[in-house]
Structures are given as C-alpha cells and as structure tokens.
Amino acid sequence: MGSRRLNVVSYLGSQPLFKDMSAPELARIAAASTVRRLSRGEELFHAGQSCEGLYLVIDGMIKLYAKVPSGHEKVIEVIGAGGCVSESLMFSEGAHSVNASVLFDVQLLVVPKDLLVHEIEHNAGLAMRMLTGLSRRMNGLVKDIEAVTLHSGVKRVVDYLLHSPVVGEAQNTEQDVTVSLPASKGTIASLLSVTPEHFSRILHDLQAHGLISVERRHIHILDAQRLASYA
C-alpha cells in the first residue's frame, strides 16, 4: 500500500473474512476501524494485555512470540500481508497470551472488538468464515506441535522449505526453486524450535549434499525430490 491513502471499504471487501458483505455493512465497519503504522521493533501488544480488536496486516510483517523472564524468546508465528491477528479473542474476554512485535514496518487495519462481535452475532456468514480461519490456524499449530515432538530438526527445516508456496509443483520437476526466508534466520530458527547454530548447521549440511545453495535469506532448492527424501 506504501504511502497511498487506504480505501478501507475497498480493502475490507477484498479480504476473505468480509467477502459477500453488503456495501453498507462494509462502510459501517470501515467507519469504526483505524489504520495504524508501526516501525520495525515496535510492540503491537504484550502478553496479558486486553484485546482491542482484530488486526488485519495490510503490509509488513508481525511476529507472535512467547518470552520468559530470562529474555529467551520462542517465535510462535510470523504473519505477513493478508494475515490477521487475535481472531481467537473475538469470542472470549481473555487477554493476549503472547507478545506481538513488528519484524518489518507494518500497516494494520484495526477493527474494534465490540463492533466485530456485534457483526458476528448478526451475520452467520461472517461467523462461519471467522470459525473457518480459527480452525485452520488451530490445525496449523497442532501440526507445529507434532513436528516439534516427533520430527528431527532436519525434517522440520526441510518441511518448512518444501511447504513454501513458491515450491508448489516444483517437487515433481527438476527445476531450481528459490525460497526467500520472510524473516532473519534467527527468527525462522526459533519458529522451527531449533537454535540458530543448529539451523545454520542443517543448511550447511544440506548444501554440502548438493540439495540447496544459500545466499543470505535466499535458499535455492536444487533438487526438491531428493530434498524431500533426505529427511
């Protein structure tokens, strides 16, 4: 979106969550919503803080993470343009259980919680789309738990690379595919529950076996089929 003025009604209508809503409904939500811009490193919210609404990521990137008193962080999720944050709290009075900070300068649309709850109560389609999104995210978190408890660090890294949207059908071809890491290697390592050192060793090992080549955040997959069978 850059510095252009955002047409909030048009933006809402383009989002899967609000599709099929009437122009008056979209205008009502837009009128109560606010656009917020935050810079890299700024905090969107902290664990224990009450939820003000639904955050739609227009551009930029948000990191959801847990933090212990020692300062150690565990990245839970990285959310980019088109994603949203805090859906689960629309249905409860609970506070945020994780922290959220900005990885890359972000522009957000904040839809007030009270308004969204009111719309959900009167719009079955919106409620079902919200529940579908929650179900998808829960299934993703369950898979993450399964991967951490049952799979090796190597397999987690390989699966992360192969499940990147840009890989797609390339697993069935011999073409070279490039996966660009959406955040720093340290952030991705935390997301995959490996140490940065272990992550680097895994990438080095995969490179030594001729499966990938690494150029900063760009991972070139040289043979997707062999990579898939390696782990």
Side-chain angles (χ1 to χ4, degrees):
M1 297 293 175
S3 60
R4 293 178 299 166
R5 183 176 179 82
L6 178 71
N7 184 322
V8 177
V9 173
S10 177
Y11 176 77
L12 286 171
S14 72
Q15 300 306 297
L17 181 60
F18 299 100
K19 69 178 182 179
D20 301 328
M21 294 187 76
S22 68
E25 289 173 322
L26 292 174
R28 183 168 61 245
I29 295 173
S33 301
T34 56
V35 175
R36 185 177 302 173
R37 293 176 177 82
L38 296 173
S39 300
R40 180 178 180 177
E42 287 192 77
E43 296 292 313
L44 177 59
F45 55 75
H46 297 281
Q49 184 177 332
S50 60
C51 176
E52 64 175 327
L54 183 70
Y55 304 96
L56 303 175
V57 182
I58 301 166
D59 52 38
M61 192 166 291
I62 295 288
K63 172 182 72 174
L64 300 184
Y65 67 100
K67 189 173 183 178
V68 296
S70 65
H72 179 72
E73 294 183 3
K74 169 64 177 81
V75 177
I76 308 298
E77 193 172 3
V78 173
I79 302 170
C84 54
V85 183
S86 70
E87 306 102 305
S88 62
L89 294 180
M90 297 303 103
F91 297 97
S92 75
E93 297 300 322
H96 290 290
S97 58
V98 296
N99 308 282
S101 68
V102 178
L103 284 175
F104 299 107
D105 292 0
V106 72
Q107 183 177 196
L108 302 162
L109 183 65
V110 186
V111 182
K113 180 177 178 178
D114 290 346
L115 172 68
L116 191 55
V117 169
H118 174 80
E119 296 294 336
I120 289 171
E121 290 174 343
H122 295 84
N123 188 320
L126 176 60
M128 285 302 299
R129 290 191 293 275
M130 179 72 77
L131 290 173
T132 297
L134 286 171
S135 177
R136 186 183 303 114
R137 178 161 289 182
M138 183 184 72
N139 288 336
L141 292 173
V142 168
K143 288 181 180 179
D144 289 345
I145 294 172
E146 177 186 2
V148 170
T149 54
L150 299 178
H151 300 160
S152 68
V154 173
K155 181 167 177 56
R156 294 199 296 276
V157 172
V158 167
D159 284 348
Y160 177 82
L161 295 176
L162 291 178
H163 290 162
S164 172
V166 301
V167 177
E169 298 300 319
Q171 292 193 53
N172 299 319
T173 72
E174 296 181 355
Q175 70 184 79
D176 182 345
V177 186
T178 299
V179 176
S180 297
L181 300 181
S184 69
K185 290 179 182 177
T187 297
I188 301 301
S190 180
L191 181 66
L192 299 176
S193 295
V194 296
T195 65
E197 295 77 15
H198 190 193
F199 185 61
S200 294
R201 285 197 300 271
I202 291 171
L203 292 181
H204 183 271
D205 186 51
L206 295 176
Q207 191 166 222
H209 282 79
L211 300 173
I212 66 171
S213 65
V214 181
E215 184 182 354
R216 296 185 178 179
R217 291 186 186 174
H218 304 296
I219 312 297
H220 306 289
I221 299 177
L222 307 178
D223 190 326
Q225 289 182 315
R226 283 184 58 216
L227 181 62
S229 63
Y230 180 80

